[in-house]
Amino acid sequence: MLESIQATFWLAFWIGIISAISLPLGALTIRFWQPSSRIIALLMAFGAGALLFALTVDLFAPAIANALYWQVSLGAVIGSLVYLYLNQHLNSWGGFLRKTGTTLQFMQQKQKRQKLAFLTSINRLSFLKKLPEEDKQKLLSFIEIEEFSAKTVLYQQGDLHDAFYLIHSGTIRLQDPQRQLKTFIELEASDVFGRMAFFTRMPNATQAVVGENAEVWKISREAFNQFLESSPAALKAFREYYQEPQPDYIDALPQATDCNSEMMHYLCQRHNMSIDVADHHLNKVQNHIQQYHQLGRIVRKGPTNTLNVEFFQSALLKSESESQLFTLFEELSPKEKQAIVSQFDYRLRKQGECLYKNHSMGDYWFLLDYGEVELFFPQEKLAEPAYLGSGRFFSSRAFLLGGIRLSTAIAKTDVGYWQISRDDFECLMVQYPKISEGLKRYLQAQEVRDYLLKDKKVSEIEATHWHKQAVKSLEAHKLPDLMGLNAPPKHHVAPYLAIWLGIFLDGIPESLTIGAHITSHGVLSLSLIAGLFLSNYPEALSSSASMRAQGYSHRRIFIAWFSLTLLTGLGAAFGSVFFSGSSESDIAIVSGIAAGAMLTVIAETMLPESFAKAGSIVGFVTLLGFLTALMFKAINP
């Protein structure tokens, strides 16, 4: 008796190993051959067809032959529901990254949730709330989704941040410069911020800092104007918005009794305008909207000092010995250089004032006219401050690569400086394509790659992927964006472990099937072994490619698949012992559980992913897989 159990144990173990050995084979394949997504999709469709035959003939048919209809049906429902429940939780922790199909599904579900949350947020603005649903849906296509880590400074007082935001997740703290930057409100999901400065065409009067890691929706002036042009109803509601009486809560605020609108109160309180000046300013804004059917640019009155080409070129030469950055301007004509310098605005700051803070976004590029600026590097505790004098550029890399600043800039003396925004620079890129070509050359510089690998701590594959995306951005006359690079997936706990558990979840039904059937019948159908083997190989190809794209090494991927192969063998072996002596009814339930889970995997990920990548030919290839499993059945009935 004991010898029989041992023999069954080892038979189940080795059959489990054979059925799953295609998993590490798939991981090894990715190391030496990178098949196209279409090839992987066709292989996956073929494997799905083979597995469908095995499930139908080898799992359901025996139960049906024994009239165990409700047992196998109950097991199938249980297997499907349990798989869906566990899979959903693993996906929320990052397990969806294990293959393209689950990644696409997760992102589609995320987009649906974002859509509902977006509609909730825009209803906070009265003029958007009035719009018909189709216009609200249209606005969704104009937003930019951005993610920020805690402590990131989104904008500071005085920034010409020509956009407003809606919070999807996380928190944003608004800080009051009039009270030593104390937080006066903490905003949460669905809240809107930056809107008053945006709609009044004024510089920001507060500072916005990320509390908890946040995902926000940005609506820029360009996007908003496109929306107004596409929606007459939105334009009409927006014009009426300026005439709306102020909300009740403003009436209770100090010095608000003479303000007849929320915008006027903002101008009086935050920008120290008189009632008459505020009223005149809002009339100008409304007249522009009336005439041009769009919101105009921010106009900031201040000191003027035109940047000349000679000073600009001199500053470039000073930086040339330190960096390859400014070689991007080498091939520009005098006319093109003049166009660039004409877009720089002049600013003054007094001694001790902050030009920008660590973790703020690199939305501006600075050139110092006179005075001295001190740069502090909070992340490098032993680093000495850097001192910049006249004719020096700063915040260059964060500006051109689209990252966050790693330093804080303080005016050591009274300073005058020029600045240019990313939006204005991108307009220049449209007019003068040579600027984009120069930036492409700069992206090849070793200092950029060192910055990605050492400072951003990304893998070689991530750096290469980002570089490709950056080149595509430049071809569309957009500056690159580093904000999402190396950002851990939000709300995903231990992604590698979640991916491994997701792979393990996919393999559990196989173990149950092999162990139960060997215990019940003493052998396992060759068509079932073939179906499992043929379906595992393309799944491992697809998942390994996805995991490589996430930056995981070949070694870690192989370990994940090889360990699963061993666990499949052990699971089958222990299953053969556990189900020893089980009735045909119990075996039917177990077979149903395994079949239900695997059918759910086929319908949820394998076939949708195959069709999305390979098209209608997938149906025929699936049939070929089905018939191949049939041939194995013919060999070993």
Side-chain angles (χ1 to χ4, degrees):
M1 180 67 179
L2 180 60
E3 292 180 357
S4 175
I5 293 176
Q6 288 179 339
T8 302
F9 178 93
W10 287 110
L11 177 62
F13 174 79
W14 287 114
I15 290 179
I17 293 293
I18 292 170
S19 70
I21 196 66
S22 53
L23 294 174
L25 288 177
L28 285 174
T29 301
I30 288 295
R31 186 178 183 90
F32 302 104
W33 175 49
Q34 299 291 328
S36 67
S37 59
R38 181 176 173 82
I39 294 296
I40 293 177
L42 293 174
L43 289 173
M44 188 172 293
F46 185 87
L51 188 58
L52 279 172
F53 178 89
L55 299 181
T56 304
V57 175
D58 296 307
L59 296 187
F60 281 110
I64 294 173
N66 292 321
L68 300 172
Y69 304 106
W70 73 263
Q71 289 92 335
V72 73
S73 299
L74 175 64
V77 171
I78 293 173
S80 179
L81 292 178
V82 170
Y83 174 84
L84 288 172
Y85 175 79
L86 295 176
N87 189 53
Q88 182 179 5
H89 282 275
L90 286 173
N91 286 347
S92 66
W93 297 340
F96 69 91
L97 297 171
R98 68 189 185 273
K99 45 190 167 183
T100 305
T102 52
T103 301
L104 291 173
Q105 183 186 52
F106 181 86
M107 296 309 296
Q108 289 170 353
Q109 292 174 348
K110 181 180 179 181
Q111 288 173 354
K112 289 180 181 179
R113 293 193 298 269
Q114 287 176 336
K115 180 178 176 181
L116 293 174
F118 176 77
L119 294 176
T120 300
S121 294
I122 63 174
N123 285 334
R124 299 284 184 95
L125 294 176
S126 58
F127 78 92
L128 293 177
K129 187 177 181 179
K130 298 176 183 177
L131 299 181
E133 286 302 313
E134 57 267 25
D135 282 355
K136 293 178 182 179
Q137 300 285 352
K138 188 182 297 182
L139 180 59
L140 182 60
S141 65
F142 289 103
I143 67 169
E144 298 175 48
I145 300 176
E146 298 183 344
E147 295 184 351
F148 302 102
S149 57
K151 299 182 180 180
T152 299
V153 179
L154 296 183
Y155 58 74
Q156 300 177 90
Q157 179 192 23
D159 282 353
L160 307 182
H161 211 67
D162 218 354
F164 72 99
Y165 298 90
L166 302 91
I167 306 174
H168 176 54
S169 63
T171 60
I172 303 293
R173 296 169 184 163
L174 296 186
Q175 298 174 342
D176 190 351
Q178 299 175 5
R179 295 190 295 165
Q180 291 77 48
L181 292 177
K182 290 183 178 179
T183 299
F184 64 90
I185 188 171
E186 184 165 306
L187 305 175
E188 300 177 340
S190 298
D191 286 333
V192 184
F193 67 100
R195 60 191 177 90
M196 284 291 99
F198 181 80
F199 293 132
T200 59
R201 288 170 48 192
M202 293 293 291
N204 290 102
T206 60
Q207 178 167 284
V209 180
V210 178
E212 299 176 0
N213 291 350
E215 180 180 295
V216 301
W217 296 311
K218 174 183 174 182
I219 303 179
S220 67
R221 177 178 55 82
E222 289 79 9
F224 189 74
N225 284 338
Q226 291 178 38
F227 172 63
L228 293 179
E229 291 173 4
S230 67
S231 171
L235 179 62
K236 181 176 182 293
F238 184 53
R239 288 166 54 188
E240 294 172 351
Y241 180 50
Y242 285 85
Q243 306 300 327
E244 287 183 0
Q246 63 186 13
D248 293 338
Y249 73 86
I250 288 184
D251 292 331
L253 296 176
Q255 304 175 2
T257 54
D258 295 328
C259 297
N260 58 16
S261 73
E262 186 178 15
M263 292 187 192
M264 186 169 289
H265 176 266
Y266 168 79
L267 294 174
C268 294
Q269 291 296 100
R270 289 294 179 185
H271 292 278
N272 299 316
M273 291 185 180
S274 65
I275 295 292
D276 291 339
V277 172
D279 185 59
H280 176 71
H281 177 81
L282 289 178
N283 283 334
K284 286 177 60 179
V285 174
Q286 294 174 75
N287 289 338
H288 189 281
I289 297 171
Q290 173 73 25
Q291 183 176 357
Y292 298 103
H293 296 173
Q294 61 178 229
L295 186 66
R297 299 178 65 86
I298 292 177
V299 178
R300 175 174 179 172
K301 295 180 179 179
T304 57
N305 186 359
T306 304
L307 175 61
N308 60 63
V309 174
E310 290 74 20
F311 189 90
F312 182 76
Q313 289 179 318
S314 174
L316 293 179
L317 291 173
K318 287 183 180 180
S319 303
E320 195 172 27
S321 61
E322 303 171 9
S323 167
Q324 300 179 48
L325 171 62
F326 303 107
T327 57
L328 62 94
F329 296 107
E330 285 179 345
E331 297 183 9
L332 298 183
S333 66
K335 179 182 177 181
E336 290 168 328
K337 291 179 181 178
Q338 181 61 53
I340 292 175
V341 301
S342 66
Q343 294 299 313
F344 278 80
D345 296 321
Y346 198 67
R347 298 287 179 264
L348 298 175
R349 288 293 174 97
K350 294 181 179 180
Q351 180 181 358
E353 289 186 346
C354 179
L355 280 69
Y356 62 77
K357 285 192 172 183
N358 176 48
H359 276 100
S360 61
M361 293 185 296
D363 287 341
Y364 292 92
W365 187 25
F366 303 98
L367 173 57
L368 192 58
D369 178 23
Y370 70 85
E372 190 174 24
V373 169
E374 189 172 10
L375 297 182
F376 296 92
F377 303 91
Q379 292 179 326
E380 302 176 24
K381 296 181 180 180
L382 301 179
E384 294 291 329
Y387 299 94
L388 305 178
S390 175
R392 293 296 300 274
F393 287 96
F394 54 106
S395 191
S396 304
R397 189 162 54 193
F399 175 82
L400 291 169
L401 300 184
I404 60 172
R405 300 181 178 114
L406 302 179
S407 62
T408 296
I410 304 292
K412 188 171 177 59
T413 64
D414 290 351
V415 298
Y417 60 94
W418 292 278
Q419 66 179 34
I420 185 172
S421 70
R422 279 172 64 92
D423 288 340
D424 288 338
F425 196 84
E426 287 175 347
C427 290
L428 290 169
M429 292 167 63
V430 174
Q431 293 177 290
Y432 306 105
K434 284 184 181 179
I435 298 177
S436 296
E437 294 303 317
L439 276 169
K440 288 181 184 178
R441 291 195 302 274
Y442 169 58
L443 291 179
Q444 302 292 340
Q446 187 60 41
E447 71 169 65
V448 173
R449 194 157 191 85
D450 289 344
Y451 172 68
L452 296 176
L453 299 178
K454 297 176 183 178
D455 293 358
K456 296 292 289 183
K457 297 184 178 5
V458 303
S459 66
E460 289 279 355
I461 192 169
E462 287 175 309
T464 302
H465 177 72
W466 178 86
H467 183 270
K468 291 179 180 178
Q469 295 301 316
V471 170
K472 288 182 180 179
S473 295
L474 293 175
E475 290 172 350
H477 307 300
K478 292 287 186 181
L479 286 167
D481 183 10
L482 270 171
M483 293 303 295
L485 185 61
N486 202 34
K490 300 293 183 277
H491 313 301
H492 304 153
V493 181
Y496 181 77
L497 177 59
I499 292 171
W500 187 90
L501 288 173
I503 298 170
F504 176 65
L505 175 63
D506 293 343
I508 290 176
E510 297 180 21
S511 299
L512 290 173
T513 301
I514 295 169
H517 274 253
I518 288 181
T519 296
S520 175
H521 307 293
V523 293
L524 195 67
S525 168
L526 184 59
S527 60
L528 180 57
I529 298 174
L532 294 174
F533 183 93
L534 292 173
S535 64
N536 281 333
Y537 181 73
E539 183 180 5
L541 279 178
S542 176
S543 299
S544 298
S546 296
M547 292 170 72
R548 277 298 292 154
Q550 300 302 320
Y552 295 107
S553 66
H554 287 293
R555 179 174 175 271
R556 296 189 76 185
I557 296 171
F558 180 80
I559 289 174
W561 291 114
F562 185 74
S563 63
L564 180 58
T565 302
L566 290 178
L567 287 173
T568 301
L570 290 172
F574 283 107
S576 68
V577 175
F578 181 79
F579 292 113
S580 179
S582 297
S583 66
E584 287 292 334
S585 178
D586 292 336
I587 297 299
I589 293 175
V590 173
S591 297
I593 291 174
M598 285 191 279
L599 277 172
T600 303
V601 172
I602 292 171
E604 185 183 43
T605 61
M606 295 180 72
L607 289 180
E609 180 179 341
S610 300
F611 184 81
K613 293 180 177 179
S616 57
I617 190 64
V618 160
F620 179 72
V621 175
T622 303
L623 174 62
L624 291 180
F626 189 93
L627 295 176
T628 300
L630 174 62
M631 293 301 101
F632 278 100
K633 191 69 174 177
I635 295 171
N636 182 24

